[in-house]
Amino acid sequence: MPTSSPRRTVEYVLFDMDGLMLDSERIYTIATNEVLGKYGKEMTWAIKAGCMGKPEREAGMHTLSFFPDIPLDVDEFLRERNRVQDTLWPTVPLLPGVRKLVFHLKKYNVPMAVATSSRRRNFEMKTAHHQDILRCFEGKIICGDDKQHTMKGKPAPDIFLITAATFLGIDVGGPDIATLENHVKERAKGLVFEDALSGMQAGKRAGMSVVWVPDPNLLKLDRNVEEQPDQILRSLEDFIPEEWGLPPYDE
């Protein structure tokens, strides 16, 4: 598919998780609509798009803002939704192309990590049956509620900068310090894989290249944002590593 800017040669890779590696956005939709359905309501894709990539509580507040007549506060809503989600997490599958790409990058020792807005509790539940993939990251995973890291949620660049600096040892600086010339150069060597609009924005604001793999429903919506992805793919199956200076797949 066409790209919006020339390719860069990248040296490290950061993955989002929900909707990018795992087909978990579908479960968020099922659980949310089970709660809303009790009140005759339903989450549309226009509403869902504003939730994707954001921390859980912020996403919950966004959803409820469209339904002011529902007699639930955000804590009650999240409790009900989580009850449904918890029964479904053990069934969530990997999305196409994930296993091939992650194992390939691991084989060639490409530095990589996961930067997800998911709560650590949910992350552990939804990935418990995908430990072969998780082991490839060697624990280099940041979740949105990790208290040891002070982060603003996506579309702020914080999670990608902190993940690259903390787990990959890349001198990218940080979200709350002055950005130096060397930081800019190191940020430009990173490649972010995202499915959410806010995640794509976060990656670009971090000064990294972004491969955006959005749900087709997301592409149907207006996206009036300044940031644009470097590449849009239908699936990670369509990713060609050598276009980014990475080792090509083995035949």
Side-chain angles (χ1 to χ4, degrees):
M1 296 181 71
T3 60
S4 55
S5 66
R7 303 282 191 268
R8 295 173 176 172
T9 296
V10 300
E11 296 182 4
Y12 61 94
V13 175
L14 302 177
F15 287 87
D16 174 51
M17 185 184 62
D18 288 309
L20 185 281
M21 298 180 71
L22 298 177
D23 191 17
S24 44
E25 288 296 345
R26 178 179 56 87
I27 287 177
Y28 284 121
T29 300
I30 291 171
T32 296
N33 282 334
E34 181 164 324
V35 177
L36 295 178
K38 297 176 182 178
Y39 305 95
K41 310 294 184 182
E42 183 177 18
M43 178 175 66
T44 65
W45 253 98
I47 297 171
K48 181 178 177 65
C51 298
M52 294 173 68
K54 293 181 178 177
E56 181 182 71
R57 189 175 182 83
E58 185 178 339
M61 292 173 67
H62 174 82
T63 300
L64 288 180
S65 71
F66 292 88
F67 307 107
D69 54 331
I70 289 181
L72 295 175
D73 62 27
V74 67
D75 292 314
E76 293 168 328
F77 170 73
L78 291 176
R79 237 184 340 264
E80 283 296 300
R81 193 188 69 174
N82 288 341
R83 178 184 56 78
V84 179
Q85 287 174 180
D86 288 354
T87 67
L88 298 174
W89 288 142
T91 71
V92 66
L94 292 174
L95 284 164
V98 172
R99 183 179 302 278
K100 179 181 179 181
L101 177 56
V102 170
F103 283 158
H104 175 72
L105 296 177
K106 177 65 175 175
K107 177 179 179 179
Y108 286 96
N109 297 312
V110 177
M112 60 181 179
V114 173
T116 173
S117 298
S118 179
R119 285 197 297 148
R120 178 68 62 172
R121 166 195 179 274
N122 289 349
F123 171 84
E124 291 175 352
M125 293 183 69
K126 67 184 75 163
T127 60
H129 55 302
H130 296 300
Q131 290 301 305
D132 57 336
I133 292 291
L134 282 198
R135 280 193 291 271
C136 293
F137 293 97
E138 300 176 337
K140 298 170 184 173
I141 298 162
I142 283 186
C143 292
D145 65 341
D146 286 349
K147 301 300 184 186
Q148 65 270 39
H149 308 294
T150 303
M151 301 180 292
K152 294 186 288 292
K154 302 171 185 177
D158 302 28
I159 195 167
F160 292 124
L161 295 175
I162 290 171
T163 301
T166 302
F167 285 126
L168 302 184
I170 311 294
D171 186 17
V172 295
D176 298 318
I177 63 174
T179 301
L180 305 178
E181 182 179 352
N182 186 61
H183 297 154
V184 174
K185 291 179 179 178
E186 293 301 315
R187 293 177 186 188
K189 298 175 183 177
L191 181 62
V192 171
F193 287 102
E194 262 286 357
D195 71 300
L197 182 62
S198 62
M200 181 277 289
Q201 291 178 274
K204 294 304 296 181
R205 291 180 187 183
M208 300 171 185
S209 296
V210 178
V211 173
W212 194 35
V213 193
D215 187 287
N217 290 291
L218 194 54
L219 290 176
K220 297 175 185 177
L221 304 175
D222 291 333
R223 57 177 197 272
N224 298 315
V225 298
E226 178 181 348
E227 300 83 4
Q228 297 298 319
D230 297 273
Q231 186 175 32
I232 302 175
L233 298 178
R234 292 183 297 265
S235 164
L236 284 181
E237 287 185 308
D238 298 329
F239 181 69
I240 302 174
E242 57 267 37
E243 289 186 354
W244 295 94
L246 296 167
Y249 284 126
D250 302 325
E251 292 297 334

